[in-house]
Amino acid sequence: MNVVRTTPPRPLDVTALFPQLAPLARTATRLHPRRGAPSLHDSSIGGPLLWPADEPWPHCDLPHEGGGYALAELRLQQRIRASEALHPDGEPHVPQYTPEEQAVLERLNSDDTWHDDTWLAGPVAMLPLAQLYARDIPTLRPPGQAGADLLQVLWCPFDHPPEKYMPRTVLVWRSAAAVTEILTSPPEPPLVVEEYVPEPCVLAPEQVTEYPNPMELSKELRERIGDWSTWQAADAGVDSAYAPYPESFYGSHLSVAPGWKVGGWPMWGYTDPAPQSCPACDTEMDPLLTIDTFEWDSSNRSWIPYEDQAAASSTDSRYRDLRQPTAVQIGSGYKQQIYICPAAPEHPHTELMQ
């Protein structure tokens, strides 16, 4: 990996101001997905998987209703966007669309692209969501199986109401060295929900330190963080605009990092904090992967990496997707969190929308 992203230091050392937070620190790995052309041997979002030729590909056998877009057309649209991204606005010699590409673009801008669920017969092939090598993600904790150094996450590109209004996921741990014959043409679903087809992204993993979301803190500590006089007495330099709600400054800039990440603390807000218990042994589960709609928003721009700050402030249309590089959208702009059992990672994982 030759892409680097560097999160700026936090605006202040929150443990100097609130020492009770120090033992609660956790390390998270921000993935920093950026659109690119990952290979089988790269950690990626939406890239190809190092999958054994003789191993069955995961399918979702739950009911699928409501229809969707033809995946083949969306794949071609992705390739067109990737080609356009290589050429700055106004640069000459921008590749012309082929007749096939032009026809697809016209269809995608019409009402002819939606197909009902009669296109779906039987189980639906899952889509590659993430491939994470342990060499790139220090916070990954492979299960006890010998040689496991690669986590692959696939999902079904449909919601499954009434139980879940988000994709169903499958986790596969394996040894990369054990894959000798590779599946080069995995099955794909004919239809998909467009928001569940990730743009191929390379990663720039970076470790950061996180502290709990304010709602997970003790009542006493929350009261101290919410007391503006504490911040004033420490001369922490926090903007006085936060005086009515200093806990918002803590939550936005000092606790949980936004964006796609492995490990760390979970972000709450869609629901109040609730322990996630293993369905097999009732052990409290750990957050494994956060699938985020956005890498940042207007409330937490201090987390924008140095390398993206100029582009994030630009009005150039080439940077319009910088905040949402994967093009994945969970609900109305939420996160999908995957939890695993620390006692036995082979136990069923759970999922939560926040």
Side-chain angles (χ1 to χ4, degrees), residues 14-64:
V14 70
T15 61
L17 191 55
F18 305 104
Q20 303 97 313
L21 287 170
L24 302 178
R26 286 185 185 176
T27 298
T29 300
R30 301 187 72 187
L31 298 181
H32 297 305
R34 297 296 180 267
R35 294 185 185 181
S39 76
L40 293 165
H41 304 288
D42 293 324
S43 293
S44 66
I45 303 299
L49 302 185
L50 186 73
W51 196 271
D54 60 353
E55 184 175 321
W57 188 263
H59 285 65
C60 178
D61 56 6
L62 297 179
H64 299 90

Side-chain angles (χ1 to χ4, degrees), residues 283-298:
T283 299
E284 185 171 344
M285 305 182 86
D286 291 336
L288 171 68
L289 176 66
T290 297
I291 302 159
D292 206 340
T293 300
F294 300 109
E295 288 298 291
W296 62 78
D297 60 33
S298 59

Side-chain angles (χ1 to χ4, degrees), residues 164-300:
K164 293 182 179 179
Y165 287 90
M166 58 183 174
R168 176 191 183 196
T169 58
V170 166
L171 308 182
V172 178
W173 282 98
R174 69 171 78 255
S175 165
V179 183
T180 54
E181 294 188 30
I182 300 168
L183 181 65
T184 56
S185 299
E188 291 192 321
L191 296 183
V192 294
V193 172
E194 183 176 9
E195 291 81 4
Y196 298 154
V197 182
E199 294 276 352
C201 289
V202 296
L203 306 181
E206 178 201 20
Q207 290 186 282
V208 297
T209 300
E210 294 186 334
Y211 299 95
N213 180 279
M215 291 188 289
E216 292 206 73
L217 300 175
S218 67
K219 181 175 182 292
E220 176 190 2
L221 188 50
R222 286 186 65 183
E223 288 177 349
R224 288 201 63 214
I225 289 175
D227 184 353
W228 179 241
S229 65
T230 304
W231 301 81
Q232 283 183 304
D235 193 23
V238 179
D239 192 317
S240 60
Y242 285 100
Y245 39 87
E247 66 276 8
S248 293
F249 179 80
Y250 168 79
S252 295
H253 303 288
L254 304 176
S255 61
V256 181
W260 288 64
K261 67 175 184 174
V262 170
W265 283 94
M267 177 68 75
W268 301 94
Y270 184 69
T271 67
D272 288 340
Q276 302 301 299
S277 299
C278 175
C281 67
D282 207 35
T283 299
E284 185 171 344
M285 305 182 86
D286 291 336
L288 171 68
L289 176 66
T290 297
I291 302 159
D292 206 340
T293 300
F294 300 109
E295 288 298 291
W296 62 78
D297 60 33
S298 59
S299 71
N300 54 30

Side-chain angles (χ1 to χ4, degrees), residues 306-323:
Y306 284 125
E307 296 83 357
D308 291 328
Q309 290 179 0
S313 301
S314 173
T315 58
D316 191 312
S317 62
R318 287 176 295 151
Y319 303 124
R320 64 183 179 275
D321 297 319
L322 190 62
R323 195 167 67 100

